[in-house]
Amino acid sequence: MEKPAVLKTDGSDFPDVLDYQSGFGNHFSSEAISGALPPDQNSPLICPFGLYAEQISGTAFTAPRKLNQRSWLYRIKPSVTHEPFKPRVPAHEKLVSEFDRSNTSANPTQLRWKPVDIPDSPTDFIDGLYTMCGAGSAFLRHGYAIHMYAASKSMDNCAFCNADGDFLIVPQKGKLWITTECGMLQVSPGEIVVLPQGFRFAVDLPDGPARGYVAEIFGTHFQLPDLGPIGANGLAAPRDFLVPTAWFEDASRPGFTIVQKFGGELFTAKQDFSPFNVVAWHGNYVPYKYDLSKFCPYNTVLLDHSDPSINTVLTAPTDKPGVALLDFVIFPPRWLVAEHTFRPPYYHRNCMSEFMGLVFGGYEVNCYHI
């Protein structure tokens, strides 16, 4: 039987242009080799090219159709063919996923901090992660964590998988080249990328040292906010969200390590092949990126100020209508026009905690922050 072509990279040679598919929540399909997608079935007795069919689910099988998220991957070797997971040694001491009073402390004071320095020692994305704050529990599947990362080198012969929740990554310094099981994503400061729970990925640093923010949510997924009186258009447009196209690596990778985050702890498993061996895939559960400059903000044009929620890009809803587990809100460059009111946004105390980070510009001036 015909074997798939060999496509591989050593992490130092990046394509000049990547192809993407567009849309938010669409059902996508992509194949790196024509004919690799089964035409009539998800899991035929024999897949084209002798590939293995795997389904990755982001929701329960029985979730309502409009909420159900899953994709079918067609890969050269099954993802389960690795050694048993073992606790990572040394342990990562700066990651937190359980936010109860036994292992964390609360402080109601407003806090500010300076950006951390890029480590002098070689530090990849995984080791460069550290938790700033959070609430809830990864084990209870409800809550969130806010992390930051500061990395000085690309991930080498390893991939990361977050079994606790979704990562929303906001680069602040340095471009990220992210290889996923669905394909490749290039993400620069001013863009965001969402890596859903369960997907394996690797982060390379084509421009050198990198730093940024990470929002992690447990037990739910991001979605576009309802627009209400705004109408059919505005804020983040679904067509501006980009997902990768199929790309695969068919090569022996002795000692390749899968690093899995589970319950806030890191575990490792060895395998002798790349996890990025998916030749074709289809579904609506997929990594995606978004260029924040495409966000269409709305603003006050007469008196008083709109609530900051008017700038929501993505939201992670709860079962309580109108209440989010986490909102991702941006304040891009925009006109601030209002009569008979103090121009800067009003001071407010509310039932939600706010974590603000600067991407471009200067703090407390017309800037670009989240």
Side-chain angles (χ1 to χ4, degrees):
M1 182 170 291
E2 181 182 356
K3 298 295 290 183
V6 175
L7 298 176
K8 65 185 294 293
T9 178
D10 60 5
S12 60
D13 184 19
F14 301 96
D16 294 331
V17 179
L18 287 178
D19 291 326
Y20 295 103
Q21 302 176 85
S22 67
F24 188 93
N26 295 9
H27 188 107
F28 301 97
S29 63
S30 184
E31 53 185 7
I33 295 180
S34 179
L37 273 176
D40 302 314
Q41 295 175 267
N42 290 323
S43 185
L45 182 63
I46 300 177
C47 292
F49 302 112
L51 299 172
Y52 293 87
E54 290 185 357
Q55 182 175 222
I56 179 169
S57 296
T59 56
F61 291 146
T62 52
R65 183 184 288 266
K66 66 179 181 180
L67 301 176
N68 209 298
Q69 296 189 40
R70 63 91 177 94
S71 287
W72 282 90
L73 313 181
Y74 301 92
R75 57 196 323 144
I76 298 169
K77 195 169 183 178
S79 62
V80 73
T81 52
H82 56 72
E83 297 177 0
F85 279 101
K86 299 178 182 178
R88 186 174 184 246
V89 179
H92 198 310
E93 298 179 351
K94 295 182 179 181
L95 285 179
V96 180
S97 291
E98 304 301 307
F99 297 93
D100 59 29
R101 293 302 298 273
S102 63
N103 61 3
T104 58
S105 59
N107 186 342
T109 304
Q110 299 93 334
L111 302 174
R112 301 177 77 171
W113 62 94
K114 295 181 179 180
V116 299
D117 294 329
I118 301 294
D120 293 328
S121 59
T123 304
D124 65 13
F125 176 82
I126 300 173
D127 290 325
L129 276 173
Y130 57 97
T131 305
M132 298 295 294
C133 61
S137 166
F139 277 123
L140 296 179
R141 313 298 305 135
H142 185 79
Y144 67 89
I146 303 296
H147 316 284
M148 296 188 72
Y149 68 88
S152 59
K153 79 178 190 75
S154 300
M155 292 171 58
D156 182 25
N157 209 40
C158 68
F160 192 34
C161 177
N162 184 7
D164 290 334
D166 291 7
F167 272 164
L168 187 158
I169 301 175
V170 187
Q172 182 269 325
K173 171 185 171 63
K175 185 184 300 180
L176 304 181
W177 188 276
I178 303 177
T179 304
T180 77
E181 292 173 272
C182 291
M184 295 179 172
L185 294 156
Q186 180 179 279
V187 189
S188 302
E191 297 179 312
I192 61 172
V193 61
V194 174
L195 301 168
Q197 177 186 358
F199 276 98
R200 294 170 179 175
F201 64 92
V203 178
D204 286 286
L205 311 181
D207 293 342
R211 180 173 56 211
Y213 311 93
V214 180
E216 180 183 14
I217 52 173
F218 311 132
T220 187
H221 299 294
F222 288 104
Q223 64 184 46
L224 292 173
D226 292 330
L227 294 179
I230 293 176
N233 307 290
L235 306 188
R239 71 172 183 172
D240 292 328
F241 288 81
L242 302 178
V243 306
T245 54
W247 176 94
F248 70 98
E249 182 180 32
D250 182 15
S252 176
R253 297 290 292 271
F256 195 97
T257 303
I258 302 296
V259 181
Q260 182 139 316
K261 188 167 95 63
F262 179 75
E265 304 291 334
L266 297 187
F267 298 82
T268 61
K270 297 288 187 180
Q271 59 186 49
D272 60 2
F273 63 97
S274 168
F276 310 120
N277 63 353
V278 178
V279 182
W281 60 269
H282 77 87
N284 63 350
Y285 191 52
V286 61
Y288 57 89
K289 76 168 192 170
Y290 175 71
D291 183 347
L292 297 175
S293 68
K294 296 181 180 296
F295 185 80
C296 180
Y298 281 76
N299 196 34
T300 304
V301 294
L302 187 59
L303 54 88
D304 281 338
H305 285 271
S306 302
D307 295 331
S309 50
I310 198 69
N311 291 307
T312 301
V313 180
L314 292 170
T315 183
T318 65
D319 294 335
K320 191 173 182 180
V323 179
L325 178 70
L326 186 145
D327 283 329
F328 176 70
V329 179
I330 67 168
F331 297 93
R334 64 207 183 280
W335 287 103
L336 294 176
V337 180
E339 295 181 357
H340 196 54
T341 189
F342 189 49
R343 187 186 65 81
Y346 60 86
Y347 177 74
H348 58 284
R349 297 176 295 170
N350 59 30
C351 61
M352 299 184 75
S353 299
E354 294 185 356
F355 182 94
M356 184 177 295
L358 189 68
V359 178
F360 299 124
Y363 192 68
E364 293 178 339
V365 297
N366 189 20
C367 61
Y368 202 154
H369 58 272
I370 59 175

